[in-house]
Amino acid sequence: MIVVSNRFRVHDEHVDAFEERFRNRMGEVESMDGFVRFEFHRPVDHGHVETGTHAAVTYWESMDAFEAWTESEAFREAHRNPAPEEWFEAEGDVEIHEVQFEALRES
């Protein structure tokens, strides 16, 4: 399984609008072959280290499935109208990981 994390540092005054953009986009990626799930993460101030990064995280059955998404018309449409640059403290970044193992709570 592949996990793709798009990370964004958003200025406080634009957080609500930024989160709403993602909420309104739901449905564009879910129909793609190999898509597993999407999560949107909001940073939590926990007092130990500074956190201020939102993350849009997708899970894919394979790297091929993720790459097919990035080459699709649905991807182009989803990214056609990006958020204004002034919403962000810095340029976003992408991390891609392959799941090597996992632990789940037993039912």
Side-chain angles (χ1 to χ4, degrees):
M1 183 177 309
I2 298 296
V3 181
V4 181
S5 180
N6 290 280
R7 302 164 53 82
F8 309 92
R9 292 192 59 84
V10 182
H11 289 292
D12 290 343
E13 64 269 21
H14 299 293
V15 165
D16 290 342
F18 178 74
E19 290 179 359
E20 188 63 24
R21 284 177 67 90
F22 271 92
R23 223 176 263 109
N24 291 337
R25 283 189 176 168
M26 298 313 298
E28 294 179 4
V29 69
E30 291 88 337
S31 64
M32 294 298 298
D33 288 341
F35 172 80
V36 176
R37 76 176 187 262
F38 172 87
E39 298 172 348
F40 186 84
H41 300 178
R42 175 189 288 170
V44 175
D45 183 8
H46 51 79
H48 297 287
V49 295
E50 181 183 345
T51 55
T53 304
H54 284 74
V57 182
T58 52
Y59 295 76
W60 299 88
E61 291 175 357
S62 67
M63 192 65 180
D64 287 342
F66 169 68
E67 289 174 345
W69 156 245
T70 66
E71 296 167 0
S72 71
E73 182 60 36
F75 178 88
R76 285 188 288 283
E77 182 62 27
H79 295 86
R80 181 177 50 85
N81 186 22
E85 289 182 19
E86 60 267 14
W87 285 15
F88 304 100
E89 296 176 13
E91 190 171 325
D93 61 42
V94 176
E95 293 184 2
I96 301 175
H97 297 94
E98 182 177 35
V99 176
Q100 295 298 298
F101 57 87
E102 66 181 23
L104 301 171
R105 181 179 179 162
E106 293 184 26
S107 302

